Amino acid sequence: MLKVYEYAKCSTCVKALKFLDAKKVKYEKLPIVDKAPSQKELKEMLGALKARGGSIRNLFNTSGVMYKEMKLSEKLPSMTETEAIKLLSENGKLVKRPFVISEKIHLVGFKEDEWKKEF
């Protein structure tokens, strides 16, 4: 089952869910602030991102208030992946959203062109 971690007040998440609904994709909607992705899911997503040239930074909501308040742009380069994954799993507000994961699909954020390739 496709899991979509989202935030109801996020306009990007709303667009992403409308996209999935229009394509008649079945998914489980999870409130990312209340239930952040697990460390296992974050590691799996990171592996998929790295395969496409991404990095741990791509998992973070870099435009979020909490990211800025915690000065993570300064701290992230010196953090280990394990530390970063643990931090993300403990605070859904830090995770870039929507965070979409299944056995075969790994997407972070909503870029319609990328999503069209998957669905």
Side-chain angles (χ1 to χ4, degrees), residues 14-110:
V14 171
K15 285 180 198 171
L17 294 175
K18 282 183 181 177
F19 175 91
L20 293 174
D21 291 341
K23 298 275 187 184
K24 299 194 181 343
V25 175
K26 291 188 190 293
Y27 58 88
E28 176 184 5
K29 187 167 71 168
L30 300 159
I32 201 165
V33 174
D34 300 331
K35 181 182 178 6
S38 68
Q39 288 188 35
K40 180 180 181 280
E41 290 170 322
L42 289 159
K43 287 176 189 173
E44 189 178 316
M45 184 69 78
L46 180 58
L49 289 171
K50 283 182 171 181
R52 297 189 299 248
S55 69
I56 190 76
R57 187 176 183 278
N58 299 114
L59 288 176
F60 280 85
N61 177 12
T62 57
S63 60
V65 172
M66 187 162 287
Y67 182 87
K68 292 173 183 168
E69 284 177 353
M70 293 177 75
K71 297 183 177 15
L72 287 171
S73 62
E74 299 166 21
K75 296 176 184 175
L76 194 54
S78 63
M79 291 176 82
T80 66
E81 279 186 7
T82 303
E83 291 169 332
I85 294 284
K86 185 175 186 302
L87 182 62
L88 288 165
S89 72
E90 293 170 348
N91 195 325
K93 285 187 178 181
L94 291 174
V95 181
K96 185 169 178 88
R97 56 188 184 251
F99 182 100
V100 180
I101 191 165
S102 73
E103 256 183 56
K104 296 179 181 175
I105 295 173
H106 300 85
L107 297 166
V108 180
F110 179 66

